[in-house]
Amino acid sequence: MGVTLVPHRLEYAARMFELASAPPVKDALGLRDQSVEDTKAFIRAVIGEERRGESLSRVILDEAGEVVGVTTLMHFSGERNRCHLGTWIGHEYWGLGYNSESKQAILSIAFNDLHVEWVFLGARQTNVRSQRAQAKLPYITLHVHGQFPEELEALERREKTACVLHAVRRGDFVRYMEEPRECR
Protein backbone atom coordinates (compact mmCIF):
# COMPACT_ATOMS: atom_id res chain seq x y z
CA MET A 1 0.00 0.00 0.00
CA GLY A 2 1.07 3.55 -0.51
CA VAL A 3 -0.74 6.85 -0.17
CA THR A 4 -0.02 10.10 -1.91
CA LEU A 5 -1.05 13.45 -0.48
CA VAL A 6 -1.99 16.04 -3.09
CA PRO A 7 -3.39 19.58 -2.97
CA HIS A 8 -7.15 20.01 -3.27
CA ARG A 9 -8.58 20.38 -6.77
CA LEU A 10 -12.14 20.91 -7.88
CA GLU A 11 -11.99 17.71 -9.93
CA TYR A 12 -11.96 15.76 -6.64
CA ALA A 13 -15.25 17.28 -5.44
CA ALA A 14 -17.65 14.59 -6.69
CA ARG A 15 -15.67 11.72 -5.14
CA MET A 16 -15.07 13.62 -1.89
CA PHE A 17 -18.79 14.34 -1.69
CA GLU A 18 -19.62 10.69 -2.32
CA LEU A 19 -17.22 9.46 0.38
CA ALA A 20 -18.20 12.10 2.96
CA SER A 21 -21.93 11.48 2.37
CA ALA A 22 -21.79 7.84 3.45
CA PRO A 23 -23.62 7.69 6.82
CA PRO A 24 -20.67 6.30 8.85
CA VAL A 25 -18.40 9.14 7.69
CA LYS A 26 -21.06 11.83 7.73
CA ASP A 27 -22.10 10.89 11.27
CA ALA A 28 -18.52 10.67 12.57
CA LEU A 29 -17.75 14.12 11.16
CA GLY A 30 -21.05 15.63 12.27
CA LEU A 31 -21.81 16.83 8.74
CA ARG A 32 -25.16 18.13 7.62
CA ASP A 33 -26.66 17.16 4.25
CA GLN A 34 -24.50 18.63 1.53
CA SER A 35 -24.09 18.68 -2.24
CA VAL A 36 -21.24 18.49 -4.72
CA GLU A 37 -21.47 22.29 -4.95
CA ASP A 38 -20.99 22.53 -1.16
CA THR A 39 -17.92 20.31 -1.53
CA LYS A 40 -16.57 22.62 -4.24
CA ALA A 41 -17.12 25.59 -1.91
CA PHE A 42 -15.22 23.66 0.80
CA ILE A 43 -12.32 23.06 -1.61
CA ARG A 44 -12.20 26.75 -2.55
CA ALA A 45 -12.20 27.70 1.14
CA VAL A 46 -9.37 25.26 1.88
CA ILE A 47 -7.30 26.67 -0.97
CA GLY A 48 -7.88 30.19 0.40
CA GLU A 49 -6.89 29.15 3.94
CA GLU A 50 -3.68 27.62 2.60
CA ARG A 51 -2.81 30.79 0.69
CA ARG A 52 -3.22 32.74 3.95
CA GLY A 53 -1.11 30.20 5.87
CA GLU A 54 -4.02 29.19 8.11
CA SER A 55 -4.01 25.49 7.26
CA LEU A 56 -2.46 22.82 5.09
CA SER A 57 -4.92 20.30 3.73
CA ARG A 58 -4.29 17.39 1.39
CA VAL A 59 -6.43 14.91 -0.47
CA ILE A 60 -5.39 11.32 0.21
CA LEU A 61 -4.99 9.18 -2.91
CA ASP A 62 -4.47 5.41 -2.90
CA GLU A 63 -1.90 3.61 -5.02
CA ALA A 64 -4.31 3.70 -8.00
CA GLY A 65 -4.78 7.47 -7.69
CA GLU A 66 -8.31 7.21 -6.27
CA VAL A 67 -9.49 9.65 -3.58
CA VAL A 68 -9.82 7.89 -0.21
CA GLY A 69 -10.07 10.87 2.18
CA VAL A 70 -8.65 14.15 3.40
CA THR A 71 -6.05 15.09 6.01
CA THR A 72 -5.57 18.62 7.32
CA LEU A 73 -3.21 20.55 9.59
CA MET A 74 -5.17 23.48 11.02
CA HIS A 75 -5.52 25.98 13.85
CA PHE A 76 -1.86 26.94 13.89
CA SER A 77 -0.89 28.75 17.08
CA GLY A 78 2.15 29.98 18.94
CA GLU A 79 3.92 31.18 15.81
CA ARG A 80 3.13 27.80 14.20
CA ASN A 81 4.57 25.92 17.15
CA ARG A 82 1.30 23.97 17.48
CA CYS A 83 -1.52 22.84 15.23
CA HIS A 84 -4.34 20.33 15.07
CA LEU A 85 -4.67 17.40 12.70
CA GLY A 86 -7.93 16.18 11.29
CA THR A 87 -8.30 13.22 8.96
CA TRP A 88 -11.26 11.44 7.49
CA ILE A 89 -11.21 8.31 5.37
CA GLY A 90 -14.03 7.03 3.16
CA HIS A 91 -15.97 4.19 4.80
CA GLU A 92 -15.05 1.64 2.14
CA TYR A 93 -11.37 2.22 2.99
CA TRP A 94 -11.68 1.83 6.77
CA GLY A 95 -9.41 -0.77 8.35
CA LEU A 96 -6.99 -0.89 5.40
CA GLY A 97 -4.20 1.24 6.87
CA TYR A 98 -4.91 4.48 4.97
CA ASN A 99 -5.53 6.43 8.17
CA SER A 100 -2.19 5.68 9.81
CA GLU A 101 -0.24 6.00 6.57
CA SER A 102 -1.79 9.37 5.71
CA LYS A 103 -1.22 10.64 9.25
CA GLN A 104 2.44 9.66 9.06
CA ALA A 105 2.78 11.51 5.73
CA ILE A 106 1.11 14.73 6.95
CA LEU A 107 3.02 14.62 10.25
CA SER A 108 6.27 14.42 8.26
CA ILE A 109 5.23 17.66 6.57
CA ALA A 110 4.27 19.26 9.91
CA PHE A 111 7.50 18.40 11.65
CA ASN A 112 10.07 18.42 8.84
CA ASP A 113 8.79 21.16 6.56
CA LEU A 114 6.74 23.43 8.83
CA HIS A 115 8.85 22.80 11.98
CA VAL A 116 5.82 22.47 14.25
CA GLU A 117 6.61 21.21 17.76
CA TRP A 118 3.20 19.74 18.74
CA VAL A 119 0.38 18.34 16.62
CA PHE A 120 -2.89 17.70 18.47
CA LEU A 121 -5.31 14.99 17.46
CA GLY A 122 -8.73 15.12 18.98
CA ALA A 123 -11.91 13.14 18.68
CA ARG A 124 -15.42 13.50 19.90
CA GLN A 125 -15.94 11.30 22.96
CA THR A 126 -18.64 9.49 20.99
CA ASN A 127 -16.23 8.72 18.11
CA VAL A 128 -14.66 5.62 19.61
CA ARG A 129 -13.40 4.38 16.23
CA SER A 130 -11.30 7.52 15.77
CA GLN A 131 -9.96 7.27 19.32
CA ARG A 132 -8.91 3.64 18.73
CA ALA A 133 -7.21 4.56 15.45
CA GLN A 134 -5.27 7.36 17.15
CA ALA A 135 -4.22 5.09 20.03
CA LYS A 136 -2.54 2.75 17.53
CA LEU A 137 -0.08 5.42 16.42
CA PRO A 138 3.26 4.42 18.01
CA TYR A 139 4.45 8.01 18.45
CA ILE A 140 1.33 9.53 20.06
CA THR A 141 0.84 10.66 23.65
CA LEU A 142 -2.71 9.95 24.77
CA HIS A 143 -4.93 12.12 26.96
CA VAL A 144 -2.89 15.33 27.10
CA HIS A 145 -5.84 17.49 28.21
CA GLY A 146 -4.21 18.11 31.60
CA GLN A 147 -1.06 19.44 29.96
CA PHE A 148 -2.94 21.45 27.31
CA PRO A 149 -6.35 22.41 28.75
CA GLU A 150 -6.64 25.41 26.41
CA GLU A 151 -6.29 23.14 23.36
CA LEU A 152 -9.03 20.81 24.62
CA GLU A 153 -11.28 23.77 25.40
CA ALA A 154 -10.78 25.20 21.89
CA LEU A 155 -11.47 21.80 20.31
CA GLU A 156 -14.67 21.32 22.29
CA ARG A 157 -15.82 24.83 21.33
CA ARG A 158 -15.28 24.04 17.64
CA GLU A 159 -16.92 20.62 17.87
CA LYS A 160 -19.69 21.75 20.24
CA THR A 161 -19.34 18.53 22.23
CA ALA A 162 -17.08 16.74 24.70
CA CYS A 163 -13.81 15.55 23.16
CA VAL A 164 -10.60 13.74 23.99
CA LEU A 165 -7.20 15.23 23.19
CA HIS A 166 -4.01 13.44 22.18
CA ALA A 167 -0.75 14.85 20.81
CA VAL A 168 2.33 14.01 18.82
CA ARG A 169 5.52 15.75 19.88
CA ARG A 170 8.06 16.41 17.17
CA GLY A 171 10.89 14.61 18.99
CA ASP A 172 8.81 11.45 19.51
CA PHE A 173 7.81 11.33 15.84
CA VAL A 174 11.34 11.98 14.58
CA ARG A 175 12.78 9.28 16.87
CA TYR A 176 10.19 6.78 15.63
CA MET A 177 10.92 7.60 11.99
CA GLU A 178 14.66 7.20 12.56
CA GLU A 179 14.25 3.69 14.01
CA PRO A 180 15.23 0.90 11.65
CA ARG A 181 12.12 -0.57 9.98
CA GLU A 182 12.65 -3.99 11.59
CA CYS A 183 12.39 -2.37 15.05
CA ARG A 184 8.97 -0.86 14.34
PDB file of all heavy atoms in Angstrom, residues 2 10 38 42 50-51 57 59-61 68 70 77 85 95 103 105 116-117 119 121 124 127 130 137 143 152 174 176:
ATOM      1  N   GLY A   2       0.372   2.286  -0.525  1.00  0.00           N
ATOM      2  CA  GLY A   2       1.067   3.555  -0.506  1.00  0.00           C
ATOM      3  C   GLY A   2       0.079   4.674  -0.773  1.00  0.00           C
ATOM      4  O   GLY A   2      -0.708   4.579  -1.703  1.00  0.00           O
ATOM      5  N   LEU A  10     -10.699  21.028  -7.686  1.00  0.00           N
ATOM      6  CA  LEU A  10     -12.145  20.913  -7.883  1.00  0.00           C
ATOM      7  C   LEU A  10     -12.538  19.582  -8.516  1.00  0.00           C
ATOM      8  O   LEU A  10     -13.625  19.080  -8.265  1.00  0.00           O
ATOM      9  CB  LEU A  10     -12.673  22.077  -8.711  1.00  0.00           C
ATOM     10  CG  LEU A  10     -12.658  23.432  -8.001  1.00  0.00           C
ATOM     11  CD1 LEU A  10     -13.097  24.537  -8.949  1.00  0.00           C
ATOM     12  CD2 LEU A  10     -13.528  23.414  -6.759  1.00  0.00           C
ATOM     13  N   ASP A  38     -21.510  22.216  -2.497  1.00  0.00           N
ATOM     14  CA  ASP A  38     -20.992  22.525  -1.159  1.00  0.00           C
ATOM     15  C   ASP A  38     -19.557  22.034  -1.016  1.00  0.00           C
ATOM     16  O   ASP A  38     -18.714  22.693  -0.407  1.00  0.00           O
ATOM     17  CB  ASP A  38     -21.859  21.875  -0.073  1.00  0.00           C
ATOM     18  CG  ASP A  38     -23.239  22.483   0.024  1.00  0.00           C
ATOM     19  OD1 ASP A  38     -23.395  23.686  -0.233  1.00  0.00           O
ATOM     20  OD2 ASP A  38     -24.185  21.718   0.347  1.00  0.00           O
ATOM     21  N   PHE A  42     -16.184  24.082  -0.216  1.00  0.00           N
ATOM     22  CA  PHE A  42     -15.222  23.660   0.803  1.00  0.00           C
ATOM     23  C   PHE A  42     -13.811  23.673   0.216  1.00  0.00           C
ATOM     24  O   PHE A  42     -12.872  24.189   0.833  1.00  0.00           O
ATOM     25  CB  PHE A  42     -15.582  22.271   1.327  1.00  0.00           C
ATOM     26  CG  PHE A  42     -14.487  21.609   2.109  1.00  0.00           C
ATOM     27  CD1 PHE A  42     -14.241  21.955   3.428  1.00  0.00           C
ATOM     28  CD2 PHE A  42     -13.679  20.648   1.521  1.00  0.00           C
ATOM     29  CE1 PHE A  42     -13.222  21.354   4.148  1.00  0.00           C
ATOM     30  CE2 PHE A  42     -12.665  20.041   2.231  1.00  0.00           C
ATOM     31  CZ  PHE A  42     -12.426  20.393   3.549  1.00  0.00           C
ATOM     32  N   GLU A  50      -5.089  27.965   2.831  1.00  0.00           N
ATOM     33  CA  GLU A  50      -3.681  27.624   2.603  1.00  0.00           C
ATOM     34  C   GLU A  50      -2.903  28.838   2.110  1.00  0.00           C
ATOM     35  O   GLU A  50      -1.774  29.069   2.548  1.00  0.00           O
ATOM     36  CB  GLU A  50      -3.570  26.470   1.614  1.00  0.00           C
ATOM     37  CG  GLU A  50      -3.919  25.156   2.253  1.00  0.00           C
ATOM     38  CD  GLU A  50      -3.521  23.967   1.413  1.00  0.00           C
ATOM     39  OE1 GLU A  50      -2.526  24.050   0.664  1.00  0.00           O
ATOM     40  OE2 GLU A  50      -4.204  22.951   1.523  1.00  0.00           O
ATOM     41  N   ARG A  51      -3.483  29.589   1.203  1.00  0.00           N
ATOM     42  CA  ARG A  51      -2.807  30.792   0.695  1.00  0.00           C
ATOM     43  C   ARG A  51      -2.511  31.778   1.818  1.00  0.00           C
ATOM     44  O   ARG A  51      -1.501  32.470   1.797  1.00  0.00           O
ATOM     45  CB  ARG A  51      -3.663  31.466  -0.371  1.00  0.00           C
ATOM     46  CG  ARG A  51      -3.634  30.758  -1.689  1.00  0.00           C
ATOM     47  CD  ARG A  51      -4.347  31.563  -2.771  1.00  0.00           C
ATOM     48  NE  ARG A  51      -4.384  30.789  -3.989  1.00  0.00           N
ATOM     49  CZ  ARG A  51      -5.476  30.563  -4.693  1.00  0.00           C
ATOM     50  NH1 ARG A  51      -6.630  31.097  -4.331  1.00  0.00           N
ATOM     51  NH2 ARG A  51      -5.438  29.836  -5.790  1.00  0.00           N
ATOM     52  N   SER A  57      -4.026  21.439   3.901  1.00  0.00           N
ATOM     53  CA  SER A  57      -4.924  20.302   3.733  1.00  0.00           C
ATOM     54  C   SER A  57      -4.561  19.555   2.463  1.00  0.00           C
ATOM     55  O   SER A  57      -4.228  20.171   1.439  1.00  0.00           O
ATOM     56  CB  SER A  57      -6.379  20.786   3.668  1.00  0.00           C
ATOM     57  OG  SER A  57      -7.260  19.682   3.632  1.00  0.00           O
ATOM     58  N   VAL A  59      -5.577  16.025  -0.088  1.00  0.00           N
ATOM     59  CA  VAL A  59      -6.433  14.912  -0.472  1.00  0.00           C
ATOM     60  C   VAL A  59      -5.560  13.659  -0.432  1.00  0.00           C
ATOM     61  O   VAL A  59      -4.402  13.682  -0.874  1.00  0.00           O
ATOM     62  CB  VAL A  59      -7.014  15.132  -1.882  1.00  0.00           C
ATOM     63  CG1 VAL A  59      -7.823  13.935  -2.345  1.00  0.00           C
ATOM     64  CG2 VAL A  59      -7.865  16.399  -1.902  1.00  0.00           C
ATOM     65  N   ILE A  60      -6.106  12.586   0.102  1.00  0.00           N
ATOM     66  CA  ILE A  60      -5.387  11.324   0.206  1.00  0.00           C
ATOM     67  C   ILE A  60      -5.767  10.469  -0.996  1.00  0.00           C
ATOM     68  O   ILE A  60      -6.949  10.177  -1.208  1.00  0.00           O
ATOM     69  CB  ILE A  60      -5.751  10.578   1.507  1.00  0.00           C
ATOM     70  CG1 ILE A  60      -5.513  11.460   2.725  1.00  0.00           C
ATOM     71  CG2 ILE A  60      -4.978   9.263   1.605  1.00  0.00           C
ATOM     72  CD1 ILE A  60      -6.219  10.974   3.988  1.00  0.00           C
ATOM     73  N   LEU A  61      -4.768  10.074  -1.778  1.00  0.00           N
ATOM     74  CA  LEU A  61      -4.987   9.182  -2.911  1.00  0.00           C
ATOM     75  C   LEU A  61      -4.376   7.829  -2.610  1.00  0.00           C
ATOM     76  O   LEU A  61      -3.304   7.737  -1.997  1.00  0.00           O
ATOM     77  CB  LEU A  61      -4.338   9.752  -4.180  1.00  0.00           C
ATOM     78  CG  LEU A  61      -4.752  11.155  -4.625  1.00  0.00           C
ATOM     79  CD1 LEU A  61      -4.004  11.538  -5.909  1.00  0.00           C
ATOM     80  CD2 LEU A  61      -6.254  11.247  -4.836  1.00  0.00           C
ATOM     81  N   VAL A  68      -9.355   8.702  -1.342  1.00  0.00           N
ATOM     82  CA  VAL A  68      -9.817   7.888  -0.214  1.00  0.00           C
ATOM     83  C   VAL A  68     -10.166   8.730   1.012  1.00  0.00           C
ATOM     84  O   VAL A  68     -10.803   8.242   1.937  1.00  0.00           O
ATOM     85  CB  VAL A  68      -8.806   6.780   0.178  1.00  0.00           C
ATOM     86  CG1 VAL A  68      -8.555   5.840  -0.974  1.00  0.00           C
ATOM     87  CG2 VAL A  68      -7.502   7.352   0.684  1.00  0.00           C
ATOM     88  N   VAL A  70      -9.280  12.839   3.272  1.00  0.00           N
ATOM     89  CA  VAL A  70      -8.647  14.155   3.400  1.00  0.00           C
ATOM     90  C   VAL A  70      -7.927  14.211   4.740  1.00  0.00           C
ATOM     91  O   VAL A  70      -8.419  13.684   5.744  1.00  0.00           O
ATOM     92  CB  VAL A  70      -9.706  15.285   3.322  1.00  0.00           C
ATOM     93  CG1 VAL A  70      -9.104  16.645   3.651  1.00  0.00           C
ATOM     94  CG2 VAL A  70     -10.379  15.301   1.956  1.00  0.00           C
ATOM     95  N   SER A  77      -0.985  27.786  15.998  1.00  0.00           N
ATOM     96  CA  SER A  77      -0.890  28.746  17.084  1.00  0.00           C
ATOM     97  C   SER A  77       0.543  28.824  17.576  1.00  0.00           C
ATOM     98  O   SER A  77       1.370  27.979  17.255  1.00  0.00           O
ATOM     99  CB  SER A  77      -1.826  28.355  18.235  1.00  0.00           C
ATOM    100  OG  SER A  77      -1.438  27.119  18.782  1.00  0.00           O
ATOM    101  N   LEU A  85      -4.585  18.275  13.860  1.00  0.00           N
ATOM    102  CA  LEU A  85      -4.667  17.398  12.697  1.00  0.00           C
ATOM    103  C   LEU A  85      -6.039  16.760  12.656  1.00  0.00           C
ATOM    104  O   LEU A  85      -6.509  16.208  13.658  1.00  0.00           O
ATOM    105  CB  LEU A  85      -3.588  16.310  12.785  1.00  0.00           C
ATOM    106  CG  LEU A  85      -3.655  15.161  11.777  1.00  0.00           C
ATOM    107  CD1 LEU A  85      -3.566  15.669  10.347  1.00  0.00           C
ATOM    108  CD2 LEU A  85      -2.544  14.164  12.051  1.00  0.00           C
ATOM    109  N   GLY A  95     -10.068   0.473   7.942  1.00  0.00           N
ATOM    110  CA  GLY A  95      -9.413  -0.767   8.349  1.00  0.00           C
ATOM    111  C   GLY A  95      -8.341  -1.259   7.389  1.00  0.00           C
ATOM    112  O   GLY A  95      -7.823  -2.358   7.559  1.00  0.00           O
ATOM    113  N   LYS A 103      -1.647   9.846   8.095  1.00  0.00           N
ATOM    114  CA  LYS A 103      -1.223  10.644   9.255  1.00  0.00           C
ATOM    115  C   LYS A 103       0.306  10.738   9.305  1.00  0.00           C
ATOM    116  O   LYS A 103       0.858  11.804   9.571  1.00  0.00           O
ATOM    117  CB  LYS A 103      -1.772  10.044  10.542  1.00  0.00           C
ATOM    118  CG  LYS A 103      -3.214  10.452  10.826  1.00  0.00           C
ATOM    119  CD  LYS A 103      -3.668   9.975  12.179  1.00  0.00           C
ATOM    120  CE  LYS A 103      -5.000  10.515  12.591  1.00  0.00           C
ATOM    121  NZ  LYS A 103      -6.111  10.295  11.690  1.00  0.00           N
ATOM    122  N   ALA A 105       2.338  10.625   6.821  1.00  0.00           N
ATOM    123  CA  ALA A 105       2.779  11.506   5.734  1.00  0.00           C
ATOM    124  C   ALA A 105       2.551  12.979   6.078  1.00  0.00           C
ATOM    125  O   ALA A 105       3.437  13.819   5.868  1.00  0.00           O
ATOM    126  CB  ALA A 105       2.054  11.141   4.438  1.00  0.00           C
ATOM    127  N   VAL A 116       6.762  22.427  13.141  1.00  0.00           N
ATOM    128  CA  VAL A 116       5.816  22.474  14.253  1.00  0.00           C
ATOM    129  C   VAL A 116       6.375  21.606  15.382  1.00  0.00           C
ATOM    130  O   VAL A 116       7.038  20.593  15.132  1.00  0.00           O
ATOM    131  CB  VAL A 116       4.434  21.962  13.781  1.00  0.00           C
ATOM    132  CG1 VAL A 116       3.473  21.805  14.923  1.00  0.00           C
ATOM    133  CG2 VAL A 116       3.861  22.887  12.720  1.00  0.00           C
ATOM    134  N   GLU A 117       6.130  21.988  16.610  1.00  0.00           N
ATOM    135  CA  GLU A 117       6.614  21.205  17.758  1.00  0.00           C
ATOM    136  C   GLU A 117       5.568  20.204  18.255  1.00  0.00           C
ATOM    137  O   GLU A 117       5.903  19.095  18.653  1.00  0.00           O
ATOM    138  CB  GLU A 117       7.019  22.148  18.889  1.00  0.00           C
ATOM    139  CG  GLU A 117       7.697  21.453  20.053  1.00  0.00           C
ATOM    140  CD  GLU A 117       8.997  20.744  19.691  1.00  0.00           C
ATOM    141  OE1 GLU A 117       9.719  21.201  18.789  1.00  0.00           O
ATOM    142  OE2 GLU A 117       9.295  19.711  20.320  1.00  0.00           O
ATOM    143  N   VAL A 119       1.571  18.498  17.450  1.00  0.00           N
ATOM    144  CA  VAL A 119       0.379  18.336  16.624  1.00  0.00           C
ATOM    145  C   VAL A 119      -0.659  17.620  17.484  1.00  0.00           C
ATOM    146  O   VAL A 119      -0.403  16.531  18.004  1.00  0.00           O
ATOM    147  CB  VAL A 119       0.657  17.535  15.340  1.00  0.00           C
ATOM    148  CG1 VAL A 119      -0.637  17.309  14.562  1.00  0.00           C
ATOM    149  CG2 VAL A 119       1.682  18.258  14.471  1.00  0.00           C
ATOM    150  N   LEU A 121      -4.286  15.800  18.104  1.00  0.00           N
ATOM    151  CA  LEU A 121      -5.308  14.986  17.463  1.00  0.00           C
ATOM    152  C   LEU A 121      -6.428  14.831  18.472  1.00  0.00           C
ATOM    153  O   LEU A 121      -6.201  14.384  19.599  1.00  0.00           O
ATOM    154  CB  LEU A 121      -4.767  13.603  17.097  1.00  0.00           C
ATOM    155  CG  LEU A 121      -3.708  13.564  16.007  1.00  0.00           C
ATOM    156  CD1 LEU A 121      -2.332  13.815  16.573  1.00  0.00           C
ATOM    157  CD2 LEU A 121      -3.750  12.233  15.313  1.00  0.00           C
ATOM    158  N   ARG A 124     -14.240  13.413  19.047  1.00  0.00           N
ATOM    159  CA  ARG A 124     -15.424  13.498  19.903  1.00  0.00           C
ATOM    160  C   ARG A 124     -15.431  12.271  20.800  1.00  0.00           C
ATOM    161  O   ARG A 124     -15.038  11.180  20.380  1.00  0.00           O
ATOM    162  CB  ARG A 124     -16.682  13.512  19.040  1.00  0.00           C
ATOM    163  CG  ARG A 124     -16.790  14.740  18.195  1.00  0.00           C
ATOM    164  CD  ARG A 124     -17.916  14.623  17.216  1.00  0.00           C
ATOM    165  NE  ARG A 124     -17.977  15.867  16.452  1.00  0.00           N
ATOM    166  CZ  ARG A 124     -19.040  16.308  15.882  1.00  0.00           C
ATOM    167  NH1 ARG A 124     -20.157  15.604  15.929  1.00  0.00           N
ATOM    168  NH2 ARG A 124     -19.026  17.444  15.228  1.00  0.00           N
ATOM    169  N   ASN A 127     -16.887   9.315  19.275  1.00  0.00           N
ATOM    170  CA  ASN A 127     -16.234   8.715  18.112  1.00  0.00           C
ATOM    171  C   ASN A 127     -15.140   7.750  18.572  1.00  0.00           C
ATOM    172  O   ASN A 127     -13.945   8.023  18.472  1.00  0.00           O
ATOM    173  CB  ASN A 127     -15.671   9.811  17.199  1.00  0.00           C
ATOM    174  CG  ASN A 127     -15.225   9.270  15.864  1.00  0.00           C
ATOM    175  OD1 ASN A 127     -15.067   8.066  15.672  1.00  0.00           O
ATOM    176  ND2 ASN A 127     -15.010  10.174  14.917  1.00  0.00           N
ATOM    177  N   SER A 130     -12.402   6.586  15.962  1.00  0.00           N
ATOM    178  CA  SER A 130     -11.300   7.522  15.765  1.00  0.00           C
ATOM    179  C   SER A 130     -10.314   7.451  16.929  1.00  0.00           C
ATOM    180  O   SER A 130      -9.098   7.466  16.729  1.00  0.00           O
ATOM    181  CB  SER A 130     -11.836   8.940  15.609  1.00  0.00           C
ATOM    182  OG  SER A 130     -10.781   9.847  15.412  1.00  0.00           O
ATOM    183  N   LEU A 137      -1.261   4.733  16.932  1.00  0.00           N
ATOM    184  CA  LEU A 137      -0.077   5.417  16.422  1.00  0.00           C
ATOM    185  C   LEU A 137       1.053   5.287  17.437  1.00  0.00           C
ATOM    186  O   LEU A 137       0.905   5.690  18.591  1.00  0.00           O
ATOM    187  CB  LEU A 137      -0.391   6.891  16.155  1.00  0.00           C
ATOM    188  CG  LEU A 137      -1.495   7.160  15.129  1.00  0.00           C
ATOM    189  CD1 LEU A 137      -1.817   8.648  15.067  1.00  0.00           C
ATOM    190  CD2 LEU A 137      -1.109   6.631  13.761  1.00  0.00           C
ATOM    191  N   HIS A 143      -4.286  11.371  25.868  1.00  0.00           N
ATOM    192  CA  HIS A 143      -4.925  12.119  26.963  1.00  0.00           C
ATOM    193  C   HIS A 143      -4.035  13.234  27.527  1.00  0.00           C
ATOM    194  O   HIS A 143      -3.647  13.209  28.687  1.00  0.00           O
ATOM    195  CB  HIS A 143      -5.378  11.163  28.070  1.00  0.00           C
ATOM    196  CG  HIS A 143      -6.235  10.058  27.545  1.00  0.00           C
ATOM    197  ND1 HIS A 143      -7.506  10.268  27.063  1.00  0.00           N
ATOM    198  CD2 HIS A 143      -5.976   8.739  27.388  1.00  0.00           C
ATOM    199  CE1 HIS A 143      -8.015   9.134  26.649  1.00  0.00           C
ATOM    200  NE2 HIS A 143      -7.110   8.187  26.825  1.00  0.00           N
ATOM    201  N   LEU A 152      -7.799  21.596  24.500  1.00  0.00           N
ATOM    202  CA  LEU A 152      -9.030  20.813  24.621  1.00  0.00           C
ATOM    203  C   LEU A 152     -10.244  21.723  24.605  1.00  0.00           C
ATOM    204  O   LEU A 152     -11.229  21.446  23.914  1.00  0.00           O
ATOM    205  CB  LEU A 152      -9.022  19.968  25.900  1.00  0.00           C
ATOM    206  CG  LEU A 152     -10.307  19.167  26.146  1.00  0.00           C
ATOM    207  CD1 LEU A 152     -10.538  18.133  25.034  1.00  0.00           C
ATOM    208  CD2 LEU A 152     -10.257  18.500  27.509  1.00  0.00           C
ATOM    209  N   VAL A 174      10.054  12.069  15.257  1.00  0.00           N
ATOM    210  CA  VAL A 174      11.345  11.984  14.579  1.00  0.00           C
ATOM    211  C   VAL A 174      12.106  10.741  15.045  1.00  0.00           C
ATOM    212  O   VAL A 174      12.671   9.999  14.228  1.00  0.00           O
ATOM    213  CB  VAL A 174      12.171  13.275  14.798  1.00  0.00           C
ATOM    214  CG1 VAL A 174      13.611  13.111  14.334  1.00  0.00           C
ATOM    215  CG2 VAL A 174      11.500  14.448  14.087  1.00  0.00           C
ATOM    216  N   TYR A 176      10.855   7.961  16.204  1.00  0.00           N
ATOM    217  CA  TYR A 176      10.194   6.784  15.630  1.00  0.00           C
ATOM    218  C   TYR A 176      10.597   6.610  14.164  1.00  0.00           C
ATOM    219  O   TYR A 176      10.897   5.501  13.724  1.00  0.00           O
ATOM    220  CB  TYR A 176       8.669   6.913  15.741  1.00  0.00           C
ATOM    221  CG  TYR A 176       7.954   5.814  15.010  1.00  0.00           C
ATOM    222  CD1 TYR A 176       7.836   4.545  15.588  1.00  0.00           C
ATOM    223  CD2 TYR A 176       7.421   6.029  13.745  1.00  0.00           C
ATOM    224  CE1 TYR A 176       7.197   3.526  14.904  1.00  0.00           C
ATOM    225  CE2 TYR A 176       6.778   5.009  13.058  1.00  0.00           C
ATOM    226  CZ  TYR A 176       6.675   3.761  13.643  1.00  0.00           C
ATOM    227  OH  TYR A 176       6.055   2.749  12.954  1.00  0.00           O
TER     228      TYR A 176
END
